[in-house]
Amino acid sequence: MDRKIKRAWIILTVVVGIFIAACVSASLSEDTGKGEAPVLGSKNHWYYDFTDEEIQSAITQGAQSDHSDMFHEEYRHLIKVSDNQLIEMKKNPPLVYFYTPTFQIIKRSYEDSQKMITPTVEDIRNATNTIDNFLYFSIEAGTNDPAIARKFHAVLRQGDVTIQPIGGSLTHLYDPPVKVFSPGEGQPKYTKYVGAGFMIDDKIDLKEPLYLTFIYSDKNDTATYEIIPSQQR
């Protein structure tokens, strides 16, 4: 009798488990049908999939770099303007740098080395700025009016998909701009440094062109930059 009872309980447990799994699956399918974003990290995971050796190589490069090395390394990640619709800054569009995952590791290691610290591979894997589905751009823009810098904005586009920066705005918008020493004729008087971070999902394909549009004062005062992430990792 005990064996029959135990067997009945096992069968019941299995049946209940299957029922619950079916309900969860149906619920997820229903949510997806309502337009829920796909699970992050599936389609573009390959872009962020670094081996321990690759991470360690980037750590070593950063730790062994000096200020000049980092300047040249960052300059390598400068992306060009593909469509310049700026008004005041037509001749001096912002400089936009694409901070690839590898460069972020190098930069992190370099900055830590200035504090006599060397990050480990595990430290890098736990860092929030190198997780899946995160793209980061650094923007250096000139302006004659320091107050207007608070209106700076940027969006990331691919096809019909438009992504707003994390938190809805650029970072460091309220940091004071840097005054340029003796600017040349037609040159801006101030330089403003802001960051643009974006979380992407499977609507974005990192093997296809992406367009970062920098908005200077309004939607008709812009500069657009093209980048294909898969060509820079």
Side-chain angles (χ1 to χ4, degrees):
M1 181 64 68
D2 290 341
R3 289 182 179 178
K4 291 182 179 180
I5 293 175
K6 288 181 179 179
R7 184 179 180 184
W9 272 109
I10 292 173
I11 293 173
L12 179 61
T13 301
V14 172
V15 171
V16 171
I18 293 173
F19 176 75
I20 292 173
C23 290
V24 171
S25 177
S27 176
L28 290 175
S29 298
E30 182 180 354
D31 287 343
T32 302
K34 292 179 180 178
E36 293 293 331
V39 177
L40 297 178
S42 55
K43 182 176 181 179
N44 297 303
H45 177 71
W46 59 270
Y47 186 72
Y48 305 90
D49 190 16
F50 287 79
T51 65
D52 288 352
E53 291 73 20
E54 289 172 328
I55 293 176
Q56 186 57 58
S57 176
I59 290 174
T60 301
Q61 179 178 339
Q64 294 178 351
S65 296
D66 57 22
H67 181 75
S68 177
D69 295 329
M70 291 303 299
F71 174 82
H72 290 293
E73 184 65 30
E74 183 176 44
Y75 189 77
R76 287 181 55 245
H77 294 81
L78 183 68
I79 56 178
K80 296 180 180 180
V81 178
S82 61
D83 184 25
N84 186 346
Q85 298 296 326
L86 291 168
I87 301 173
E88 178 186 347
M89 295 302 300
K90 185 76 173 180
K91 295 182 179 179
N92 300 290
L95 299 178
V96 175
Y97 302 88
F98 176 41
Y99 279 17
T100 66
T102 298
F103 179 68
Q104 290 183 60
I105 298 171
I106 293 171
K107 188 172 184 292
R108 158 76 183 275
S109 179
Y110 167 75
E111 292 173 346
D112 281 359
S113 71
Q114 304 307 298
K115 306 172 187 176
M116 305 302 290
I117 301 172
T118 301
T120 65
V121 170
E122 184 178 1
D123 290 335
I124 296 301
R125 290 199 181 280
N126 292 332
T128 57
N129 63 343
T130 53
I131 61 173
D132 286 0
N133 306 286
F134 183 87
L135 295 179
Y136 187 78
F137 299 84
S138 176
I139 302 172
E140 178 184 337
T143 176
N144 290 318
D145 178 4
I148 200 173
R150 297 179 181 179
K151 297 182 179 180
F152 287 175
H153 193 58
V155 295
L156 195 63
R157 294 191 174 98
Q158 186 175 76
D160 296 331
V161 179
T162 299
I163 304 175
Q164 298 293 333
I166 296 173
S169 64
L170 305 179
T171 60
H172 306 298
L173 277 179
Y174 290 90
D175 291 356
V178 178
K179 191 170 184 179
V180 179
F181 178 73
S182 299
E185 184 177 354
Q187 296 293 316
K189 298 178 182 179
Y190 300 90
T191 298
K192 179 72 174 182
Y193 300 90
V194 292
F198 301 90
M199 289 299 293
I200 62 172
D201 59 25
D202 283 352
K203 296 176 183 176
I204 296 295
D205 187 349
L206 296 182
K207 295 180 181 179
E208 298 298 327
L210 280 167
Y211 298 91
L212 176 79
T213 296
F214 172 80
I215 302 168
Y216 184 78
S217 60
D218 61 46
K219 63 181 180 179
N220 298 313
D221 191 6
T222 66
T224 298
Y225 303 75
E226 179 181 349
I227 181 67
I228 302 178
S230 62
Q231 296 180 354
Q232 299 184 47
R233 196 170 79 114

